[in-house]
Amino acid sequence: MKSICATKGVSAAGIKEGKFGLALIRASGTAAGVFTSNKMRAAPVEVMMDRMRRGRLDAVVVNSGCANAYTGKRGIRDAEEMCAIAAAPLGLEPESVGVASTGVIGRYLNLPLIRDQCERIAPLLARNDDAEDAAARAIMTTDTFPKHALVETGSFSVGGITKGSGMIAPNMGTMLAFIYTDAEVEAPVLHDILRQATRRSFNRVVVDGDTSTNDVALCTATGAAGKVNREELADAIEAVCRNLAVQIARDGEGATKLLEVTVRGAADEDEAAAVARTIVASPLVKTAIYGEDPNWGRVVAAAGRSGAEFDPYAVSLRVGGVPLVVRGEIVADLGAAKVAMHGDTVSFDLDLAAGDGKATAWGCDLTERYVEINGKYTT
Amino acid sequence: MKSICATKGVSAAGIKEGKFGLALIRASGTAAGVFTSNKMRAAPVEVMMDRMRRGRLDAVVVNSGCANAYTGKRGIRDAEEMCAIAAAPLGLEPESVGVASTGVIGRYLNLPLIRDQCERIAPLLARNDDAEDAAARAIMTTDTFPKHALVETGSFSVGGITKGSGMIAPNMGTMLAFIYTDAEVEAPVLHDILRQATRRSFNRVVVDGDTSTNDVALCTATGAAGKVNREELADAIEAVCRNLAVQIARDGEGATKLLEVTVRGAADEDEAAAVARTIVASPLVKTAIYGEDPNWGRVVAAAGRSGAEFDPYAVSLRVGGVPLVVRGEIVADLGAAKVAMHGDTVSFDLDLAAGDGKATAWGCDLTERYVEINGKYTT
């Protein structure tokens, strides 16, 4: 197993019929979630933010194809009904079932379809390769591959699945991530760990800069592996989140290359992250990556508008290890730099020479295909 | 005449040879400038920020093809030398000549070429249609048409030229705007007027969100028309800036449609502007415009992440006059909305129902051609 089902106490099932998918994940334990910062939160996010106060979940139900966003009071009732639909065949209280949605904004859920799909997959809940893959595939929208990650330390494991593609995919919504561990950990601690891990992983991925109405990262700890070292757990959860985040970036809509930008020498980590995010989000950097054009001026210009404090003539910049600027001196060997941009991953390393802060952000190139996916799709 | 030469006291000349152009504009008077907020300012911007303290200019020299950005101390010396080159044939002090550049970042100016071009065009300085058009064309990079604007009130006139295309064009730089009036006005007043006009025009255009290292808007007042009413002058300058700004948006790299977003009912004008800018900058809104897809959820979602305070279920949204959402009720007639998105201009009107603030921002659609222009261009 390569993700959630490798974690003791977790079983999964999923179905995908055309653009409508449903995933069920059964796992009892302490739970924590982080949610979209978009003011326009989808109904399932509203329901979950309330529900997570209990700090425990027994299962999660997720649908793709309809975001249940901008659906008002009826959307809230529908999200609660979706929990009840999933709770029934599992013999659970609806309040102990988590819910998430991804898809078109401004449409109501098709509850009869969700009920039908749920009744068909609940008996299939299992702890094996096929089950976790079915769940990962059920939540995909424009993703081109299912996304799994797993860290096994010997004493405990952390596994996760996610979907991404666009921050908002073509008229669809959402980054969704479901992470499971068999470590035993209290809900508030788990929440702190998840928040920190999210800040350093999912929050550092920019595909198109559009923040979804439905973003959610959920972590449930079944406790089956007993108590563990907190630092070790935090490291494992962060590693799983980072692995999933990089997969989201690589599978960005229309992407042909992963873009990885490490900024060091910033005043602090937050400032390094802000600079790295600005660079990976720049349409001009993204198109240069696509064209394998070592147009380093665009990278430095993006850093310049990021708001960070630094001396432009003190910076150093490398692409794939090839120096472009060394302490403000232009040393670019454009031929070697262009070669360093071949392949499916392009890495920039920018040293601001202004402190000890360091952070990495991930994105992808901007291609004609992104425009096609998002422009030619008609509601 | 349709722009700067319609203003008394202004003569112009220009030449464009391949990607290297030079424009000369002769006009003595009080002067004010606003400059890029990018921390990495180009050398000519540094020189001009210093030079504008005098509040007077006698001429401006502008080159395209090389941004003279990230060029260190040599770049500063080169920008000063470029002023001296332009001052000589005009019999002016170098300190009274303004300078601006647009083009590739990280390259030094070709001063021999600039001297040669300058010597050839200085004798051609004239006040007529051809002269102002030659200047407007000389500063173009990926622009597809020269950009002129003129307001004549009867007592005075305000004319301007600009270039845009990308906030940073393909490896090139810059939004440049040169505005002239024959009104008599003191430099500090002119500066206030220009700053306000810029805030409401150029600063509300987003082509790709990348802020150039070379952005500059300059206004010179020759005083030939004598003293005028301050409000009237401010209105005329703002109208000229807005006209030029809309032309920049319409001529965004690869654009097929102008996108105009008016936000009303915000807490104040700044908040309305922030929401409008977020919407016109959204890649998902931009691709939906391109595909004529009335995907209004993307517009509301962009507003939701703008940071503005409002109740998502109180908003109203129209496209080209067709209602999509009325006080939170979805009323979208998607067929009629799609028709409203035909043509070369798409207008959204979003009422946040949270105050009296109102602002308009301009952008363009995102097309495969933008990717092609910026991705396939190789340094």
Side-chain angles (χ1 to χ4, degrees), chain B residues 85-101:
Chain B
I85 288 171
L90 305 179
L92 297 171
E93 292 298 313
E95 291 69 31
S96 73
V97 177
V99 60
S101 299

Side-chain angles (χ1 to χ4, degrees), chain B residues 128-151:
Chain B
N128 60 42
D129 286 297
D130 288 348
E132 67 186 5
D133 205 51
R137 287 179 186 278
I139 63 174
M140 286 166 58
T141 52
T142 47
D143 302 67
T144 66
F145 58 83
K147 299 173 182 69
H148 299 272
L150 177 64
V151 167

Side-chain angles (χ1 to χ4, degrees), chain B residues 94-145:
Chain B
E95 291 69 31
S96 73
V97 177
V99 60
S101 299
T102 175
V104 187
I105 294 174
R107 306 260 173 101
Y108 296 113
L109 285 179
N110 181 344
L111 287 175
L113 172 66
I114 286 171
R115 187 184 307 276
D116 176 53
Q117 289 182 324
C118 193
E119 281 167 2
R120 281 185 283 149
I121 67 171
L124 305 178
L125 273 171
R127 193 180 162 219
N128 60 42
D129 286 297
D130 288 348
E132 67 186 5
D133 205 51
R137 287 179 186 278
I139 63 174
M140 286 166 58
T141 52
T142 47
D143 302 67
T144 66
F145 58 83

